[in-house]
Amino acid sequence: MSYGVKLHVWGERACFTRPEMKVERVSYDVMTPSAARGILEAIHWKPSIRWIVDAIHVLKPIRFQSIRRNEVGSRIPAAAVRKAMKAGAVHDLRMDAAENRQQRAATLLVDVAYVIEAHFELTDRAGEGDTPAKHISMFNRRATDGQCFHQPCFGTREFPAHFSLVEGAPPPSELTGDDRERDLGWMLLDIAHERDSRIGNQHCCTPNCTPLFFRAGLRNGVLAVPPPESVEVRS
Amino acid sequence: MPAIQNRPIQNRYEFVYLFDVTNGNPNGDPDAGNLPRLDPETNKGLVTDVCLKRKIRNFAALSRDGEPRYGIYVQEGAILNEKHRAAYAAARPGDETVAASPKLSPKSDEEERAVRQFMCDNFFDVRSFGAVMGTKINCGQVRGPVQMSFAQSVEPILPLEISITRMAATSIAEKEKAKGDGEAAGGDERSDNRTMGRKHVVPYGLYRSHGYISASLAGKTGFDEDDLGLLWTALEQMFDHDRSAARGEMAGRKLFLFRHDSALGNAPAHRLFDLVDVKRRFQGEDYELDGPGTGNLPPARRFADYAVSVASDRVPAGVTLIEKF
């Protein structure tokens, strides 16, 4: 038995980057289940539970905007850090932003609002005291009071998500006519992370992590999400 | 070696930051020939989060230069290597095998944690904003407690294009061309060496940015009260150290902090942001932004054309409002 929650989330901008277009980011039309899970986890999560998104209600018309920013193109090499640790000095450990400059455009969503319908399941790491009732009440209390582990975001951290718990019926969708029924093509459901025993069974991206896709479509403004284990989900 | 660390901050914060620009370009858009960034639907000006973070980094580098815990990883411009410390590093060999090894991923949980810890202890920007430490196989990631959103001007802005001239040519070829053009146009001697340029300015814009600081993430990076103090000082003073021909006059105008009593927070962020209200002020009267009639007002050209108020009586229980400046 699982308990469901409904969370209303909204914000000025969002970028749910399509994996096939992530150098110059292009957002999906609608929040991905994976991003929705991230929002729920920002409010409440323990290793003993696993959030599963059931549906995403799209409340606002889907609109895009483009923005180009100066970004840096490289990551911090771990070996350089190790070298600095051994040397006991950090003077060579820095990145020159001007030399690593990359200008990248992003195609963002503007003025978004969704209702996330989700439930959680207990995982094999649940202990004695991990009852579903405890977790559901923790989540509901935090969502009602505006508490969170960190401020949830829409895809990337510069686009914060505001949230409130929905009790009863979700707010009406502003989508009109044809927009309510739309085929969204193949969409990322989530990434099946492999737990890495070397680093304490944490989420950790390795080449073995598998992206899962599903055929997404709006039905009356609602994106139904199949369970991650179902046959509709391809990897 | 890292200095003695204080306790990471224990409270969640949100902040509303207001800054303005006079006859300058706060943040150019590389997609639009360096015009000031605009929201195309509302004509409100934008300043990206990364633009503000860049200035915070620059200020931190300037004010805490050389202090052990306050390195800046993502540097701008020239790298000023301290040669005596390079010598010190050279005096400690033994790391060559590590640098030459093809496998770069941390080999264990402990090592990954140690690498991450080292970066957090030594670099203010990693501790505040986070960083991705990537290798071919494994990613050590640091998510920083400080999260900022795009700043947006409170009213639509009007970017102006100002044509300017330079009384010199870049190259001989350019000079020859200018000479030819000048003769064709009637032979004005002075036009020989001139180059035309463009500058984009916003006559005036008041921008509002929202920020979030998660105490839970601060615990993971060691972001402490000193760091918090530096962040507030940076927001107050960073524009004073970022003068340039393009920026015009920019200034931090207001900073409202909401300190929650607990680490998880005591009220939703959006409700706190709603407490800070900006109105148009004209001849002593305040008008709602975007309200009816504001279109008839003369354009705002200074900070005094706006009225900033905060509903301190409506601050929820468990949240403290601090007006920093």
PDB file of all heavy atoms in Angstrom, chain A residues 153-184:
ATOM      1  N   CYS A 153      14.074  23.138  -7.440  1.00  0.00           N
ATOM      2  CA  CYS A 153      14.235  23.941  -8.646  1.00  0.00           C
ATOM      3  C   CYS A 153      13.655  23.231  -9.852  1.00  0.00           C
ATOM      4  O   CYS A 153      13.408  22.026  -9.837  1.00  0.00           O
ATOM      5  CB  CYS A 153      15.704  24.266  -8.870  1.00  0.00           C
ATOM      6  SG  CYS A 153      16.713  22.824  -9.172  1.00  0.00           S
ATOM      7  N   PHE A 154      13.443  24.015 -10.908  1.00  0.00           N
ATOM      8  CA  PHE A 154      12.919  23.489 -12.167  1.00  0.00           C
ATOM      9  C   PHE A 154      14.075  23.177 -13.099  1.00  0.00           C
ATOM     10  O   PHE A 154      14.462  24.011 -13.916  1.00  0.00           O
ATOM     11  CB  PHE A 154      11.969  24.488 -12.802  1.00  0.00           C
ATOM     12  CG  PHE A 154      10.638  24.574 -12.131  1.00  0.00           C
ATOM     13  CD1 PHE A 154      10.159  25.772 -11.636  1.00  0.00           C
ATOM     14  CD2 PHE A 154       9.853  23.442 -12.003  1.00  0.00           C
ATOM     15  CE1 PHE A 154       8.917  25.847 -11.033  1.00  0.00           C
ATOM     16  CE2 PHE A 154       8.605  23.504 -11.396  1.00  0.00           C
ATOM     17  CZ  PHE A 154       8.149  24.701 -10.906  1.00  0.00           C
ATOM     18  N   GLY A 155      14.634  22.028 -12.962  1.00  0.00           N
ATOM     19  CA  GLY A 155      15.676  21.591 -13.882  1.00  0.00           C
ATOM     20  C   GLY A 155      17.059  22.047 -13.506  1.00  0.00           C
ATOM     21  O   GLY A 155      17.957  21.248 -13.329  1.00  0.00           O
ATOM     22  N   THR A 156      17.270  23.356 -13.415  1.00  0.00           N
ATOM     23  CA  THR A 156      18.573  23.856 -12.980  1.00  0.00           C
ATOM     24  C   THR A 156      18.360  24.829 -11.829  1.00  0.00           C
ATOM     25  O   THR A 156      17.279  25.382 -11.674  1.00  0.00           O
ATOM     26  CB  THR A 156      19.331  24.558 -14.132  1.00  0.00           C
ATOM     27  OG1 THR A 156      18.499  25.598 -14.632  1.00  0.00           O
ATOM     28  CG2 THR A 156      19.670  23.593 -15.246  1.00  0.00           C
ATOM     29  N   ARG A 157      19.422  25.060 -11.058  1.00  0.00           N
ATOM     30  CA  ARG A 157      19.222  25.731  -9.771  1.00  0.00           C
ATOM     31  C   ARG A 157      18.925  27.216  -9.879  1.00  0.00           C
ATOM     32  O   ARG A 157      18.485  27.829  -8.909  1.00  0.00           O
ATOM     33  CB  ARG A 157      20.442  25.501  -8.867  1.00  0.00           C
ATOM     34  CG  ARG A 157      20.545  24.050  -8.442  1.00  0.00           C
ATOM     35  CD  ARG A 157      21.631  23.871  -7.426  1.00  0.00           C
ATOM     36  NE  ARG A 157      21.225  24.327  -6.120  1.00  0.00           N
ATOM     37  CZ  ARG A 157      22.079  24.681  -5.171  1.00  0.00           C
ATOM     38  NH1 ARG A 157      23.353  24.631  -5.401  1.00  0.00           N
ATOM     39  NH2 ARG A 157      21.648  25.082  -4.011  1.00  0.00           N
ATOM     40  N   GLU A 158      19.188  27.822 -11.050  1.00  0.00           N
ATOM     41  CA  GLU A 158      18.843  29.245 -11.165  1.00  0.00           C
ATOM     42  C   GLU A 158      17.350  29.475 -11.358  1.00  0.00           C
ATOM     43  O   GLU A 158      16.917  30.613 -11.401  1.00  0.00           O
ATOM     44  CB  GLU A 158      19.647  29.912 -12.284  1.00  0.00           C
ATOM     45  CG  GLU A 158      19.499  29.301 -13.657  1.00  0.00           C
ATOM     46  CD  GLU A 158      20.536  28.220 -13.930  1.00  0.00           C
ATOM     47  OE1 GLU A 158      20.849  27.442 -13.002  1.00  0.00           O
ATOM     48  OE2 GLU A 158      21.018  28.154 -15.067  1.00  0.00           O
ATOM     49  N   PHE A 159      16.591  28.380 -11.485  1.00  0.00           N
ATOM     50  CA  PHE A 159      15.152  28.534 -11.646  1.00  0.00           C
ATOM     51  C   PHE A 159      14.442  27.901 -10.456  1.00  0.00           C
ATOM     52  O   PHE A 159      13.992  26.744 -10.517  1.00  0.00           O
ATOM     53  CB  PHE A 159      14.692  27.884 -12.963  1.00  0.00           C
ATOM     54  CG  PHE A 159      15.482  28.358 -14.150  1.00  0.00           C
ATOM     55  CD1 PHE A 159      16.110  27.470 -14.997  1.00  0.00           C
ATOM     56  CD2 PHE A 159      15.625  29.716 -14.396  1.00  0.00           C
ATOM     57  CE1 PHE A 159      16.849  27.913 -16.074  1.00  0.00           C
ATOM     58  CE2 PHE A 159      16.369  30.167 -15.472  1.00  0.00           C
ATOM     59  CZ  PHE A 159      16.987  29.267 -16.316  1.00  0.00           C
ATOM     60  N   PRO A 160      14.338  28.630  -9.358  1.00  0.00           N
ATOM     61  CA  PRO A 160      13.740  28.049  -8.152  1.00  0.00           C
ATOM     62  C   PRO A 160      12.267  27.733  -8.349  1.00  0.00           C
ATOM     63  O   PRO A 160      11.570  28.395  -9.119  1.00  0.00           O
ATOM     64  CB  PRO A 160      13.924  29.151  -7.100  1.00  0.00           C
ATOM     65  CG  PRO A 160      14.218  30.386  -7.846  1.00  0.00           C
ATOM     66  CD  PRO A 160      14.790  30.005  -9.162  1.00  0.00           C
ATOM     67  N   ALA A 161      11.825  26.705  -7.651  1.00  0.00           N
ATOM     68  CA  ALA A 161      10.425  26.295  -7.710  1.00  0.00           C
ATOM     69  C   ALA A 161       9.756  26.633  -6.383  1.00  0.00           C
ATOM     70  O   ALA A 161      10.287  26.324  -5.329  1.00  0.00           O
ATOM     71  CB  ALA A 161      10.339  24.791  -7.963  1.00  0.00           C
ATOM     72  N   HIS A 162       8.630  27.295  -6.453  1.00  0.00           N
ATOM     73  CA  HIS A 162       7.811  27.504  -5.258  1.00  0.00           C
ATOM     74  C   HIS A 162       6.837  26.338  -5.166  1.00  0.00           C
ATOM     75  O   HIS A 162       6.449  25.766  -6.172  1.00  0.00           O
ATOM     76  CB  HIS A 162       7.048  28.823  -5.357  1.00  0.00           C
ATOM     77  CG  HIS A 162       7.953  30.004  -5.524  1.00  0.00           C
ATOM     78  ND1 HIS A 162       8.996  30.255  -4.661  1.00  0.00           N
ATOM     79  CD2 HIS A 162       8.010  30.973  -6.459  1.00  0.00           C
ATOM     80  CE1 HIS A 162       9.635  31.346  -5.050  1.00  0.00           C
ATOM     81  NE2 HIS A 162       9.067  31.797  -6.142  1.00  0.00           N
ATOM     82  N   PHE A 163       6.457  26.016  -3.930  1.00  0.00           N
ATOM     83  CA  PHE A 163       5.603  24.832  -3.794  1.00  0.00           C
ATOM     84  C   PHE A 163       4.567  25.019  -2.701  1.00  0.00           C
ATOM     85  O   PHE A 163       4.791  25.766  -1.742  1.00  0.00           O
ATOM     86  CB  PHE A 163       6.455  23.587  -3.485  1.00  0.00           C
ATOM     87  CG  PHE A 163       7.281  23.708  -2.236  1.00  0.00           C
ATOM     88  CD1 PHE A 163       6.789  23.290  -1.006  1.00  0.00           C
ATOM     89  CD2 PHE A 163       8.562  24.236  -2.280  1.00  0.00           C
ATOM     90  CE1 PHE A 163       7.551  23.408   0.146  1.00  0.00           C
ATOM     91  CE2 PHE A 163       9.329  24.361  -1.129  1.00  0.00           C
ATOM     92  CZ  PHE A 163       8.833  23.943   0.087  1.00  0.00           C
ATOM     93  N   SER A 164       3.444  24.348  -2.859  1.00  0.00           N
ATOM     94  CA  SER A 164       2.491  24.249  -1.761  1.00  0.00           C
ATOM     95  C   SER A 164       1.730  22.946  -1.913  1.00  0.00           C
ATOM     96  O   SER A 164       1.562  22.439  -3.029  1.00  0.00           O
ATOM     97  CB  SER A 164       1.537  25.451  -1.743  1.00  0.00           C
ATOM     98  OG  SER A 164       0.675  25.392  -2.831  1.00  0.00           O
ATOM     99  N   LEU A 165       1.304  22.420  -0.802  1.00  0.00           N
ATOM    100  CA  LEU A 165       0.610  21.131  -0.801  1.00  0.00           C
ATOM    101  C   LEU A 165      -0.809  21.328  -1.328  1.00  0.00           C
ATOM    102  O   LEU A 165      -1.456  22.318  -1.017  1.00  0.00           O
ATOM    103  CB  LEU A 165       0.572  20.578   0.626  1.00  0.00           C
ATOM    104  CG  LEU A 165       0.198  19.108   0.750  1.00  0.00           C
ATOM    105  CD1 LEU A 165       1.293  18.235   0.182  1.00  0.00           C
ATOM    106  CD2 LEU A 165      -0.042  18.760   2.213  1.00  0.00           C
ATOM    107  N   VAL A 166      -1.249  20.386  -2.162  1.00  0.00           N
ATOM    108  CA  VAL A 166      -2.618  20.450  -2.667  1.00  0.00           C
ATOM    109  C   VAL A 166      -3.470  19.495  -1.852  1.00  0.00           C
ATOM    110  O   VAL A 166      -3.191  18.305  -1.789  1.00  0.00           O
ATOM    111  CB  VAL A 166      -2.683  20.037  -4.158  1.00  0.00           C
ATOM    112  CG1 VAL A 166      -4.120  20.050  -4.645  1.00  0.00           C
ATOM    113  CG2 VAL A 166      -1.828  20.949  -4.989  1.00  0.00           C
ATOM    114  N   GLU A 167      -4.483  20.058  -1.221  1.00  0.00           N
ATOM    115  CA  GLU A 167      -5.435  19.205  -0.530  1.00  0.00           C
ATOM    116  C   GLU A 167      -6.751  19.326  -1.284  1.00  0.00           C
ATOM    117  O   GLU A 167      -7.218  20.426  -1.525  1.00  0.00           O
ATOM    118  CB  GLU A 167      -5.586  19.636   0.921  1.00  0.00           C
ATOM    119  CG  GLU A 167      -4.406  19.183   1.756  1.00  0.00           C
ATOM    120  CD  GLU A 167      -4.190  20.011   3.014  1.00  0.00           C
ATOM    121  OE1 GLU A 167      -4.046  21.242   2.900  1.00  0.00           O
ATOM    122  OE2 GLU A 167      -4.170  19.428   4.081  1.00  0.00           O
ATOM    123  N   GLY A 168      -7.289  18.228  -1.728  1.00  0.00           N
ATOM    124  CA  GLY A 168      -8.484  18.274  -2.559  1.00  0.00           C
ATOM    125  C   GLY A 168      -8.120  18.340  -4.025  1.00  0.00           C
ATOM    126  O   GLY A 168      -7.088  17.839  -4.445  1.00  0.00           O
ATOM    127  N   ALA A 169      -8.983  19.011  -4.793  1.00  0.00           N
ATOM    128  CA  ALA A 169      -8.805  19.023  -6.247  1.00  0.00           C
ATOM    129  C   ALA A 169      -7.652  19.955  -6.648  1.00  0.00           C
ATOM    130  O   ALA A 169      -7.475  21.002  -6.044  1.00  0.00           O
ATOM    131  CB  ALA A 169     -10.095  19.468  -6.909  1.00  0.00           C
ATOM    132  N   PRO A 170      -6.875  19.576  -7.673  1.00  0.00           N
ATOM    133  CA  PRO A 170      -5.811  20.461  -8.137  1.00  0.00           C
ATOM    134  C   PRO A 170      -6.382  21.733  -8.764  1.00  0.00           C
ATOM    135  O   PRO A 170      -7.527  21.709  -9.232  1.00  0.00           O
ATOM    136  CB  PRO A 170      -5.077  19.630  -9.195  1.00  0.00           C
ATOM    137  CG  PRO A 170      -5.704  18.307  -9.222  1.00  0.00           C
ATOM    138  CD  PRO A 170      -6.946  18.329  -8.416  1.00  0.00           C
ATOM    139  N   PRO A 171      -5.620  22.821  -8.810  1.00  0.00           N
ATOM    140  CA  PRO A 171      -6.103  24.055  -9.438  1.00  0.00           C
ATOM    141  C   PRO A 171      -6.399  23.793 -10.918  1.00  0.00           C
ATOM    142  O   PRO A 171      -5.787  22.916 -11.528  1.00  0.00           O
ATOM    143  CB  PRO A 171      -4.934  25.031  -9.295  1.00  0.00           C
ATOM    144  CG  PRO A 171      -3.976  24.405  -8.363  1.00  0.00           C
ATOM    145  CD  PRO A 171      -4.256  22.949  -8.306  1.00  0.00           C
ATOM    146  N   PRO A 172      -7.338  24.539 -11.513  1.00  0.00           N
ATOM    147  CA  PRO A 172      -7.704  24.285 -12.911  1.00  0.00           C
ATOM    148  C   PRO A 172      -6.563  24.634 -13.861  1.00  0.00           C
ATOM    149  O   PRO A 172      -5.775  25.529 -13.594  1.00  0.00           O
ATOM    150  CB  PRO A 172      -8.905  25.214 -13.138  1.00  0.00           C
ATOM    151  CG  PRO A 172      -8.787  26.265 -12.100  1.00  0.00           C
ATOM    152  CD  PRO A 172      -8.109  25.649 -10.924  1.00  0.00           C
ATOM    153  N   SER A 173      -6.496  23.899 -14.970  1.00  0.00           N
ATOM    154  CA  SER A 173      -5.456  24.140 -15.958  1.00  0.00           C
ATOM    155  C   SER A 173      -5.870  25.278 -16.887  1.00  0.00           C
ATOM    156  O   SER A 173      -7.041  25.402 -17.251  1.00  0.00           O
ATOM    157  CB  SER A 173      -5.220  22.869 -16.762  1.00  0.00           C
ATOM    158  OG  SER A 173      -4.395  23.144 -17.856  1.00  0.00           O
ATOM    159  N   GLU A 174      -4.904  26.118 -17.260  1.00  0.00           N
ATOM    160  CA  GLU A 174      -5.195  27.206 -18.191  1.00  0.00           C
ATOM    161  C   GLU A 174      -4.962  26.794 -19.636  1.00  0.00           C
ATOM    162  O   GLU A 174      -5.066  27.610 -20.544  1.00  0.00           O
ATOM    163  CB  GLU A 174      -4.304  28.430 -17.870  1.00  0.00           C
ATOM    164  CG  GLU A 174      -4.686  29.120 -16.586  1.00  0.00           C
ATOM    165  CD  GLU A 174      -3.680  30.210 -16.212  1.00  0.00           C
ATOM    166  OE1 GLU A 174      -3.007  30.728 -17.114  1.00  0.00           O
ATOM    167  OE2 GLU A 174      -3.569  30.513 -15.014  1.00  0.00           O
ATOM    168  N   LEU A 175      -4.590  25.548 -19.848  1.00  0.00           N
ATOM    169  CA  LEU A 175      -4.392  25.082 -21.212  1.00  0.00           C
ATOM    170  C   LEU A 175      -5.728  25.102 -21.952  1.00  0.00           C
ATOM    171  O   LEU A 175      -6.759  24.785 -21.377  1.00  0.00           O
ATOM    172  CB  LEU A 175      -3.844  23.658 -21.219  1.00  0.00           C
ATOM    173  CG  LEU A 175      -2.392  23.450 -20.794  1.00  0.00           C
ATOM    174  CD1 LEU A 175      -2.039  21.988 -20.903  1.00  0.00           C
ATOM    175  CD2 LEU A 175      -1.457  24.268 -21.659  1.00  0.00           C
ATOM    176  N   THR A 176      -5.677  25.454 -23.231  1.00  0.00           N
ATOM    177  CA  THR A 176      -6.917  25.539 -23.985  1.00  0.00           C
ATOM    178  C   THR A 176      -6.876  24.591 -25.172  1.00  0.00           C
ATOM    179  O   THR A 176      -5.817  24.270 -25.689  1.00  0.00           O
ATOM    180  CB  THR A 176      -7.134  26.966 -24.525  1.00  0.00           C
ATOM    181  OG1 THR A 176      -5.933  27.375 -25.162  1.00  0.00           O
ATOM    182  CG2 THR A 176      -7.503  27.923 -23.424  1.00  0.00           C
ATOM    183  N   GLY A 177      -8.053  24.170 -25.580  1.00  0.00           N
ATOM    184  CA  GLY A 177      -8.272  23.436 -26.828  1.00  0.00           C
ATOM    185  C   GLY A 177      -7.262  22.352 -27.113  1.00  0.00           C
ATOM    186  O   GLY A 177      -7.109  21.411 -26.326  1.00  0.00           O
ATOM    187  N   ASP A 178      -6.562  22.514 -28.233  1.00  0.00           N
ATOM    188  CA  ASP A 178      -5.645  21.494 -28.714  1.00  0.00           C
ATOM    189  C   ASP A 178      -4.490  21.248 -27.749  1.00  0.00           C
ATOM    190  O   ASP A 178      -3.945  20.153 -27.708  1.00  0.00           O
ATOM    191  CB  ASP A 178      -5.045  21.918 -30.062  1.00  0.00           C
ATOM    192  CG  ASP A 178      -6.081  21.894 -31.158  1.00  0.00           C
ATOM    193  OD1 ASP A 178      -7.183  21.374 -30.884  1.00  0.00           O
ATOM    194  OD2 ASP A 178      -5.792  22.383 -32.259  1.00  0.00           O
ATOM    195  N   ASP A 179      -4.121  22.284 -27.019  1.00  0.00           N
ATOM    196  CA  ASP A 179      -2.981  22.129 -26.123  1.00  0.00           C
ATOM    197  C   ASP A 179      -3.229  21.101 -25.027  1.00  0.00           C
ATOM    198  O   ASP A 179      -2.302  20.582 -24.434  1.00  0.00           O
ATOM    199  CB  ASP A 179      -2.634  23.474 -25.476  1.00  0.00           C
ATOM    200  CG  ASP A 179      -1.987  24.408 -26.484  1.00  0.00           C
ATOM    201  OD1 ASP A 179      -1.524  23.893 -27.525  1.00  0.00           O
ATOM    202  OD2 ASP A 179      -1.953  25.614 -26.230  1.00  0.00           O
ATOM    203  N   ARG A 180      -4.497  20.851 -24.753  1.00  0.00           N
ATOM    204  CA  ARG A 180      -4.792  19.901 -23.682  1.00  0.00           C
ATOM    205  C   ARG A 180      -4.515  18.467 -24.109  1.00  0.00           C
ATOM    206  O   ARG A 180      -4.302  17.605 -23.277  1.00  0.00           O
ATOM    207  CB  ARG A 180      -6.249  20.034 -23.228  1.00  0.00           C
ATOM    208  CG  ARG A 180      -6.595  21.414 -22.729  1.00  0.00           C
ATOM    209  CD  ARG A 180      -8.055  21.463 -22.287  1.00  0.00           C
ATOM    210  NE  ARG A 180      -8.210  20.858 -20.985  1.00  0.00           N
ATOM    211  CZ  ARG A 180      -8.154  21.543 -19.843  1.00  0.00           C
ATOM    212  NH1 ARG A 180      -7.949  22.834 -19.874  1.00  0.00           N
ATOM    213  NH2 ARG A 180      -8.326  20.933 -18.695  1.00  0.00           N
ATOM    214  N   GLU A 181      -4.592  18.237 -25.420  1.00  0.00           N
ATOM    215  CA  GLU A 181      -4.340  16.893 -25.947  1.00  0.00           C
ATOM    216  C   GLU A 181      -3.115  16.999 -26.843  1.00  0.00           C
ATOM    217  O   GLU A 181      -3.192  17.563 -27.919  1.00  0.00           O
ATOM    218  CB  GLU A 181      -5.533  16.415 -26.795  1.00  0.00           C
ATOM    219  CG  GLU A 181      -6.880  16.572 -26.137  1.00  0.00           C
ATOM    220  CD  GLU A 181      -7.095  15.577 -25.012  1.00  0.00           C
ATOM    221  OE1 GLU A 181      -6.512  14.474 -25.087  1.00  0.00           O
ATOM    222  OE2 GLU A 181      -7.827  15.904 -24.058  1.00  0.00           O
ATOM    223  N   ARG A 182      -2.020  16.511 -26.407  1.00  0.00           N
ATOM    224  CA  ARG A 182      -0.812  16.714 -27.196  1.00  0.00           C
ATOM    225  C   ARG A 182       0.122  15.539 -27.060  1.00  0.00           C
ATOM    226  O   ARG A 182       0.313  15.025 -25.965  1.00  0.00           O
ATOM    227  CB  ARG A 182      -0.086  17.958 -26.682  1.00  0.00           C
ATOM    228  CG  ARG A 182       0.181  18.957 -27.769  1.00  0.00           C
ATOM    229  CD  ARG A 182       0.531  20.247 -27.169  1.00  0.00           C
ATOM    230  NE  ARG A 182       1.956  20.508 -27.376  1.00  0.00           N
ATOM    231  CZ  ARG A 182       2.491  21.695 -27.251  1.00  0.00           C
ATOM    232  NH1 ARG A 182       1.744  22.720 -26.920  1.00  0.00           N
ATOM    233  NH2 ARG A 182       3.768  21.877 -27.446  1.00  0.00           N
ATOM    234  N   ASP A 183       0.692  15.134 -28.169  1.00  0.00           N
ATOM    235  CA  ASP A 183       1.718  14.108 -28.118  1.00  0.00           C
ATOM    236  C   ASP A 183       3.052  14.804 -27.860  1.00  0.00           C
ATOM    237  O   ASP A 183       3.416  15.724 -28.577  1.00  0.00           O
ATOM    238  CB  ASP A 183       1.735  13.356 -29.455  1.00  0.00           C
ATOM    239  CG  ASP A 183       2.721  12.201 -29.406  1.00  0.00           C
ATOM    240  OD1 ASP A 183       3.315  11.975 -28.344  1.00  0.00           O
ATOM    241  OD2 ASP A 183       2.887  11.539 -30.447  1.00  0.00           O
ATOM    242  N   LEU A 184       3.752  14.392 -26.848  1.00  0.00           N
ATOM    243  CA  LEU A 184       5.015  15.048 -26.503  1.00  0.00           C
ATOM    244  C   LEU A 184       6.225  14.220 -26.939  1.00  0.00           C
ATOM    245  O   LEU A 184       7.353  14.569 -26.632  1.00  0.00           O
ATOM    246  CB  LEU A 184       5.088  15.304 -24.994  1.00  0.00           C
ATOM    247  CG  LEU A 184       4.002  16.229 -24.435  1.00  0.00           C
ATOM    248  CD1 LEU A 184       4.063  16.260 -22.926  1.00  0.00           C
ATOM    249  CD2 LEU A 184       4.139  17.628 -24.987  1.00  0.00           C
TER     250      LEU A 184
END
